[in-house]
């Protein structure tokens, strides 16, 4: 491992993003938990954060994905998939190729099946530890992350996990910034 310099980030993080649906209007939008994951990743010191979307790219989805770019990103990596396709193989292949140390995602999709199994299946396929219900990343050093996990009734648990790891974000994670109007 090379020493950290001003040009070398200490941490590579990828946030898996999806298209959500507004609960009242049904219009496509950025998914709330994924946006919380983006906000959490942006708060990590000395990290290079990338966004990754795997799915169908229609005009509604494209406008919803722009909401993530409005959170301060110039690019978003796209793994275009046929509508209704299983995105697990494409995500696993992309993550194996890019080798991030942290992968952050929401707990479940806001549309489609939304079963919440994708993070579990992806972590199993990659052979990485999975931490669910993440409220905060307290520190990352020496190949380990210290995390704060949200528990029922406002309780919190501090965990240490080896990297690389996959993390799912809880509703108690930092609220996402609003995209510019």
């Amino acid at each position: 491992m090379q020493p950290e310099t001003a040009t070398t980030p200490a941490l590579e993080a990828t946030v898996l993003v999806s298209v959500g649906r507004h609960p009242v209007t049904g219009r496509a939008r950025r998914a709330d938990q994924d946006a919380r994951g983006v906000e959490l990743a942006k708060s990590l010191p000395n990290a290079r954060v990338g966004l990754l979307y795997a799915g169908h790219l229609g005009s509604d989805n494209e406008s919803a994905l722009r909401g993530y770019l409005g959170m301060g990103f110039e690019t978003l990596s796209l793994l275009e998939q046929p509508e209704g396709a299983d995105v697990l193989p494409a995500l696993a292949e992309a993550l194996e190729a890019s080798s991030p140390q942290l992968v952050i995602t929401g707990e479940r999709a806001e549309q489609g099946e939304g079963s919440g199994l994708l993070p579990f299946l992806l972590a199993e396929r990659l052979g990485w530890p999975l931490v669910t219900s993440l409220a905060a990343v307290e520190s990352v050093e020496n190949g380990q992350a210290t995390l704060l996990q949200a528990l029922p009734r406002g309780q919190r648990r501090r965990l240490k996990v080896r990297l690389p790891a996959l993390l799912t974000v809880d509703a108690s994670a930092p609220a996402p910034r609003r995209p510019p109007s």
Side-chain angles (χ1 to χ4, degrees):
M1 181 174 218
Q2 60 183 341
E4 182 183 326
T5 66
T7 59
T8 305
L11 180 67
E12 295 282 339
T14 298
V15 183
L16 305 182
V17 296
S18 63
V19 175
R21 292 276 173 218
H22 190 278
V24 176
T25 65
R27 293 173 66 186
R29 64 168 191 177
R30 64 184 188 183
D32 181 64
Q33 285 186 344
D34 295 342
R36 287 177 185 274
V38 172
E39 192 66 36
L40 188 137
K42 286 188 68 75
S43 73
L44 297 171
N46 202 23
R48 182 177 14 222
V49 179
L51 305 178
L52 179 60
Y53 170 75
H56 179 69
L57 189 63
S59 60
D60 281 350
N61 290 358
E62 188 175 329
S63 64
L65 293 172
R66 283 192 192 114
Y68 294 110
L69 297 176
M71 295 178 74
F73 289 87
E74 293 182 13
T75 61
L76 179 145
S77 297
L78 170 67
L79 299 173
E80 192 159 5
Q81 303 290 301
E83 196 163 354
D86 180 6
V87 298
L88 179 65
L91 284 172
E93 187 176 310
L95 293 171
E96 286 171 340
S98 64
S99 302
Q101 293 147 308
L102 279 180
V103 174
I104 302 170
T105 187
E107 291 187 332
R108 69 184 46 83
E110 288 183 10
Q111 63 177 345
E113 289 185 21
S115 67
L117 283 177
L118 180 69
F120 292 90
L121 296 172
L122 187 56
E124 180 181 44
R125 184 155 179 172
L126 295 170
W128 294 2
L130 170 70
V131 176
T132 61
S133 303
L134 183 70
V137 176
E138 293 185 332
S139 68
V140 178
E141 54 191 7
N142 302 322
Q144 282 192 334
T146 303
L147 310 171
L148 200 57
Q149 184 182 42
L151 299 173
R153 290 184 246 140
Q155 298 289 319
R156 299 288 186 262
R157 174 177 27 210
R158 185 168 285 113
L159 303 168
K160 283 193 183 257
V161 64
R162 68 172 169 78
L163 301 178
L166 197 141
L167 315 172
T168 67
V169 176
D170 186 76
S172 64
R177 64 191 72 202
R178 301 181 68 75
S181 301

